[in-house]
Amino acid sequence: MSVAAAGEIVWMIGIVVWYVIRYPFERRAKRVRIVSHRRSGLDRFALAAALFGLAILPAFYVVTGIPRAADYPARSWAIFVGASMFALAMWIFRRTHKELGRNWSITLEIRDRHELVCGGPYALIRHPMYTSFLLMGLGQAFLLSNWIAGPAGIIGFAVLFFARADKEERMMLEIFGSRYSDYMRRTKRIIPYLY
Ligand SMILES: C[S@@+](CC[C@H](N)C(=O)[O-])C[C@H]1O[C@@H](n2cnc3c(N)ncnc32)[C@H](O)[C@@H]1O
């Protein structure tokens, strides 16, 4: 098996793990009533951009090899770095889902009896799930040796994060008031102790 093919297989396994973690929460979310939301066209676009960059475009590349002209030689160290980043991303992704539990939503929504979660990864950063998307995007760039399919995940993450984080924090401030502003004072956004 070539080094490039190994990277593609690791990426595919990562995406399957991602979906296995996410699926039960999507099902459960359908049963929990939404009491308030900040859905918008921009948020839908940002979510679609993240899905496109982190899943659709790389999946198309892995299945078809297109655009082959943008390929570059794969390196085993890069596959190792990418696999490690993906594994860390999946661990954080699972922890965030377990912590959020019935409060989880794919978009900006407040659920019936929504609780402010400040434990687990949320004790250090306010957006650990987006941190896991950033790590996935970085992992993808190392795993897929293609100048278009590789970096697409980081771009998808950036669109989602910069379109959403401010709005999400404003929504949480409106709902939880001083509890959320206190929480903001003691946490960073996506990188512990830094940002
Ligand atoms: C896709 S989740 C992402 C959560 C968080 N931004 C993250 O990156 O881990 C978005 C939803 O999670 C909920 N949420 C975000 N932070 C929360 C917190 N600290 N406690 C409870 N719910 C939260 C909000 O209702 C929001 O609609």
Side-chain angles (χ1 to χ4, degrees):
M1 189 197 300
S2 70
V3 177
E8 290 170 15
I9 288 172
V10 173
W11 180 82
M12 279 191 290
I13 294 171
I15 288 297
V16 171
V17 172
W18 185 94
Y19 192 68
V20 167
I21 296 170
R22 166 60 51 93
Y23 182 70
F25 290 86
E26 270 183 25
R27 284 197 56 176
R28 189 208 277 190
K30 287 187 187 136
R31 297 194 298 268
V32 187
R33 199 162 60 87
I34 296 161
V35 293
S36 172
H37 73 82
R38 304 291 183 280
R39 284 181 232 117
S40 65
L42 177 66
D43 196 63
R44 268 194 293 277
F45 167 77
L47 203 55
L51 185 70
F52 184 74
L54 285 161
I56 296 171
L57 183 63
F60 178 78
Y61 168 72
V62 167
V63 172
T64 64
I66 297 171
R68 214 175 289 280
D71 278 353
Y72 59 86
R75 301 269 181 260
S76 3
W77 66 264
I79 307 306
F80 177 76
V81 172
S84 308
M85 284 181 157
F86 236 91
L88 180 60
M90 290 307 106
W91 181 72
I92 298 173
F93 190 61
R94 181 165 159 68
R95 291 280 326 261
T96 57
H97 279 76
K98 283 200 80 173
E99 281 306 321
L100 283 181
R102 65 184 295 291
N103 305 300
W104 177 84
S105 286
I106 195 165
T107 181
L108 301 183
E109 293 165 344
I110 296 295
R111 303 267 161 188
D112 187 29
R113 290 181 284 120
H114 200 114
E115 283 167 18
L116 178 61
V117 172
C118 305
Y122 289 89
L124 288 176
I125 44 177
R126 300 191 287 282
H127 304 289
M129 196 176 294
Y130 303 152
T131 303
S132 76
F133 294 163
L134 172 61
L135 283 167
M136 270 176 83
L138 290 169
Q140 177 180 321
F142 281 100
L143 290 172
L144 304 182
S145 36
N146 181 278
W147 290 115
I148 292 172
I154 299 170
I155 296 168
F157 153 79
V159 174
L160 179 67
F161 179 74
F162 290 108
R164 186 183 271 187
D166 280 344
K167 282 184 166 193
E168 185 168 330
E169 291 180 354
R170 270 202 301 277
M171 174 183 83
M172 298 301 280
L173 274 170
E174 279 169 33
I175 302 292
F176 294 101
S178 62
R179 285 179 62 208
Y180 197 75
S181 52
D182 288 348
Y183 172 63
M184 284 177 87
R185 267 192 287 279
R186 56 179 198 269
T187 50
K188 296 286 180 187
R189 279 185 142 179
I190 51 170
I191 304 173
Y193 310 109
L194 280 180
Y195 173 72

